[in-house]
Amino acid sequence: MPALQGARAQATWPERPVRFVVAFAPGGFADQIGRMLAEHLGEVWRQTVVVENRGGAGGNVAAQAIARATPDGYTALVTTGAFAINPTLSRNPGYRPEEFATAAVVAGTPNLFVVRADSPARSLRDLVEIGRRRPLNYGTAGVGVAAHLSAELLFKRAGGVDAQHIPYTGAGPAMLALLAGSIDMVATSLPSAVGQVQSGLARGLAVTSATRNQTMPDVPTVAEAGFEPIIDLAWVAVLYPAAVPAAVLARVNADVARVMALPAFQQRLAAAGFDPIGGSVEQVNTYVANEVRSWRDIVRMINVTIE
């Protein structure tokens, strides 16, 4: 009987609009991909997919709400790698990763270390050497974002670098501060800086991925720049309360894969600097679990916590 009920749920779901709660404010990459998904999945499901932005506490506010939502498949969380970082970074994130099931990991993009075009730092090695001679100020989209942690990891491993973190209210303000000359470097997700780099206003020094990004093929990886590898992708995933029916989880996973196979969707991802990730329900849940463990180790190593 349970198998029959599961099959029926998969066949009939969704019977009404679905709500995607994005864990960050409008305009960010989570919002961008969430809305792309909503547009295409609405056509597949023949139901409206409503996108609701519920930012706050680095993604914790939305995660807390969805952890307590009715697990019927009609309310999903669209979030980023912050979901994996915050349980260790925050003293009280208000949720546990085990309270969720992952339906899909859509795409990822590396973080980027970027300087102004007129900066004396022509390479990541140059930047580190500058930081060994004088105080170095770098900006990020906020305390505890993945790019902040990657920068702290880089400087801690390099040794002898006097680097002061300047948190901003988002990647946009951080980039404006860089271009205005207020700071020496920004650590940010690649899409947040791609326009400035491509226009010649800024220079990418390294990306936090295993291979170069197709949007910035001239920018080396951290390993290629001569440092211990840092693999840090800013990813976007769709999660549900853990008690969601397995049949619904499988349906969402399959339909997201269907959308990801569309040439138009792939082109929009590539233009924004994202690479598709995908995978089965088992694979995406393993992916997120591994991210939780990896960030736990990094956060403890660099000893950063927030209230």
Side-chain angles (χ1 to χ4, degrees), residues 33-276:
I33 290 183
R35 291 181 186 278
M36 286 167 56
L37 272 182
E39 175 187 337
H40 290 285
L41 287 174
E43 296 174 358
V44 173
W45 293 337
R46 297 185 179 181
Q47 291 286 352
T48 301
V49 181
V50 179
V51 177
E52 174 187 331
N53 296 89
R54 193 178 298 188
N60 288 352
V61 170
Q64 292 166 14
I66 303 308
R68 293 154 182 75
T70 303
D72 56 8
Y74 288 95
T75 303
L77 174 68
V78 178
T79 190
T80 70
F83 174 87
I85 297 171
N86 290 346
T88 305
L89 180 72
S90 303
R91 295 188 186 279
N92 181 26
Y95 71 92
R96 293 176 292 109
E98 310 86 70
E99 295 178 282
F100 293 83
T102 306
V105 179
V106 185
T109 186
N111 282 309
L112 174 74
F113 301 125
V114 60
V115 295
R116 288 187 309 281
D118 62 356
S119 170
R122 309 293 299 182
S123 67
L124 196 60
R125 180 67 63 187
D126 288 345
L127 184 73
V128 166
E129 291 302 327
I130 290 171
R132 287 172 176 161
R133 296 194 302 269
R134 65 165 176 82
L136 184 75
N137 294 324
Y138 77 94
T140 71
V143 176
V145 298
H148 168 215
L149 301 182
S150 290
E152 289 292 319
L153 183 62
L154 170 73
F155 295 134
K156 184 179 182 68
R157 286 174 172 175
V161 178
D162 184 0
Q164 177 65 43
H165 175 223
I166 310 296
Y168 290 86
T169 56
M175 287 300 299
L176 288 175
L178 176 72
L179 298 179
S182 302
I183 51 178
D184 299 297
M185 185 269 282
V186 166
T188 186
S189 62
L190 186 147
S192 300
V194 64
Q196 291 87 343
V197 172
Q198 291 180 341
S199 67
L201 294 174
R203 179 188 308 117
L205 298 183
V207 290
T208 61
S209 50
T211 59
R212 298 191 184 200
N213 185 271
Q214 59 184 337
T215 307
M216 294 186 185
D218 295 333
V219 178
T221 66
V222 172
E224 289 175 331
F227 295 87
E228 187 174 346
I230 296 177
I231 310 300
D232 168 20
L233 293 182
W235 45 264
V236 178
V238 180
L239 294 90
Y240 280 98
V244 69
V248 171
L249 205 65
R251 172 73 185 274
V252 176
N253 178 270
D255 289 343
V256 169
R258 179 178 171 184
V259 168
M260 289 173 62
L262 296 173
F265 191 83
Q266 293 173 0
Q267 290 167 7
R268 292 171 73 179
L269 282 182
F274 280 88
D275 294 313

